[in-house]
Amino acid sequence: MFRHTKRLQFEARPERPDPVYARKLQELIGGAYGEMSVTMQYLFQGWNCRMEGKYKDLLMDTATEEIGHVEMLATMVARLLEGAPATMTAEAVEDPVMAAVLGGMDPLQAIMAGGGALPANCQGVPWNGGYIVASGNLLADFRANAAAEAQGRLQTARLYNMTDDPGVKAMLQFNLARDTVHQKQWLKAIEELEADGLETPIVPNAFFDEEDQVHNHTIWGLSDGTDGPTGGWSEGDDPLEYLLDPEPLGGPGTAPAPDPALFGTYSTVQDLKGTVKAKAQAAKKNISARATKSTTKKSAAKKSTTKKSTTKKSTATKTAKTARKR
């Protein structure tokens, strides 16, 4: 059961209308990391949680708070649009070209919402349920929650610097604080899941014996950057091995011949050429690698022989000098 309280969690009252900013604020309502996303994300995580207790209560408490944040923002948008006709567009920016681009009030806010907020982002794209994560695994979900709050706080901070309205800034200061708390709570909840023995750092904490043991501790260096191996992930109790020149393990990624009824362009000759060329290139690279390895071994062997020879000569010289002294 949900119960609505008419009072807002925090005041949402601008000092003056600002249709341009009202459009920007839509991102915090219906954007990918807006309040509608975290509201639905926490609700579905809570509804999907199979355990009664502290974790489910935390999810439902936070989800219900986020509903209130949607209401706060929707109220602020409506008040920013109050008494703001489309003619205010030209006043929003001095350059007529920019005025035409920015447009002032979002036409959808006027046409579809009657001067109010929409369940959409700042571009008018409707909110999408695909934005949310609710997997049933609390560790995976809580990590997604911490990331969502970080992105939401980042966008709120950017929007904070885009207005000088004291009323808008006051509400955003409250929202920034709540985003800080929510990041902290999910990070602490992650630690507690592990402390309670419910999860381990790797999600899911199963199939370790089933996975490919050769490839569960390597990082493939596939960019031109050379600093990757200097990171802390290459050290410590469970270091990850950095492969600087990894070889592809599969064959050519050629799709099968198409269904003739679909009239796809296809030639068995060209397909064969591609396969032969790929195999030839791989063989050439392997020969080159073996040659380099052989040269390295010979060089090492030669150095070892030279060192032994030098040592023998030195010993013989010392023996001769000792004999002369006697």
Side-chain angles (χ1 to χ4, degrees):
M1 179 178 73
F2 292 86
R3 177 173 292 153
H4 177 252
T5 299
K6 290 185 178 181
R7 294 184 60 190
L8 298 174
Q9 187 180 7
F10 191 86
E11 189 57 80
R13 190 175 295 280
E15 284 198 355
R16 59 189 177 279
D18 187 341
V20 174
Y21 194 79
R23 181 174 183 173
K24 295 176 182 177
L25 212 55
Q26 282 285 160
E27 192 65 31
L28 296 187
I29 297 176
Y33 299 105
E35 302 291 0
M36 287 185 64
S37 289
V38 287
T39 295
M40 299 307 294
Q41 181 155 305
Y42 303 161
L43 282 173
F44 276 91
Q45 288 178 9
W47 292 330
N48 291 344
C49 182
R50 299 299 194 267
M51 303 182 302
E52 294 296 333
K54 58 186 178 182
Y55 296 113
K56 185 165 186 172
D57 288 351
L58 181 64
L59 282 164
M60 297 308 296
D61 286 338
T62 313
T64 308
E65 177 184 355
E66 300 292 8
I67 299 175
H69 291 180
V70 177
E71 183 178 25
M72 284 165 53
L73 285 162
T75 302
M76 179 64 82
V77 167
R79 289 172 175 172
L80 284 166
L81 293 173
E82 184 179 359
T87 53
M88 287 192 66
T89 298
E91 299 172 12
V93 286
E94 295 179 1
D95 186 336
V97 175
M98 287 302 297
V101 172
L102 290 175
M105 182 190 296
D106 188 329
L108 297 178
Q109 290 174 328
I111 298 167
M112 296 177 62
L118 292 160
N121 69 8
C122 61
Q123 298 297 317
V125 178
W127 181 82
N128 190 322
Y131 295 154
I132 75 167
V133 175
S135 69
N137 181 288
L138 291 182
L139 182 55
D141 285 351
F142 288 176
R143 285 175 175 167
N145 295 352
E149 293 288 350
Q151 292 289 346
R153 190 174 191 278
L154 178 62
Q155 293 182 356
T156 302
R158 288 169 174 167
L159 280 161
Y160 182 82
N161 286 326
M162 293 181 187
T163 181
D164 58 1
D165 188 301
V168 176
K169 278 186 172 289
M171 186 197 74
L172 293 182
Q173 286 170 341
F174 176 81
N175 286 5
L176 286 167
R178 299 311 299 163
D179 288 341
T180 296
V181 171
H182 294 162
Q183 285 188 60
K184 288 180 179 179
Q185 76 181 41
W186 298 128
L187 293 173
K188 288 180 179 292
I190 288 169
E191 293 178 359
E192 191 140 340
L193 278 171
E194 296 179 16
D196 288 346
L198 294 171
E199 294 291 344
T200 58
I202 302 299
V203 178
N205 56 0
F207 295 104
F208 294 119
D209 294 333
E210 299 291 330
E211 67 190 28
D212 190 327
Q213 301 299 311
V214 175
H215 300 290
N216 63 4
H217 62 280
T218 57
I219 298 175
W220 287 35
L222 297 172
S223 74
D224 289 338
T226 58
D227 292 333
T230 65
W233 41 83
S234 298
E235 304 170 354
D237 297 333
D238 187 19
L240 300 177
E241 179 187 355
Y242 224 100
L243 303 181
L244 294 178
D245 189 21
E247 291 287 339
L249 304 176
T254 307
D259 183 338
L262 299 179
F263 309 107
T265 303
Y266 178 69
S267 168
T268 53
V269 175
Q270 293 298 323
D271 195 3
L272 183 61
K273 280 183 180 178
T275 303
V276 171
K277 185 177 179 181
K279 287 182 177 179
Q281 288 176 339
K284 185 177 179 181
K285 194 164 187 177
N286 287 336
I287 291 171
S288 176
R290 284 198 295 270
T292 302
K293 194 173 182 181
S294 175
T295 303
T296 304
K297 283 185 177 179
K298 286 179 180 178
S299 177
K302 187 176 181 181
K303 285 182 181 178
S304 177
T305 302
T306 303
K307 188 175 181 182
K308 286 179 182 178
S309 176
T310 303
T311 303
K312 285 181 180 179
K313 287 180 181 179
S314 178
T315 303
T317 302
K318 286 181 180 177
T319 304
K321 285 183 179 179
T322 304
R324 282 198 296 272
K325 285 181 180 180
R326 286 178 182 173

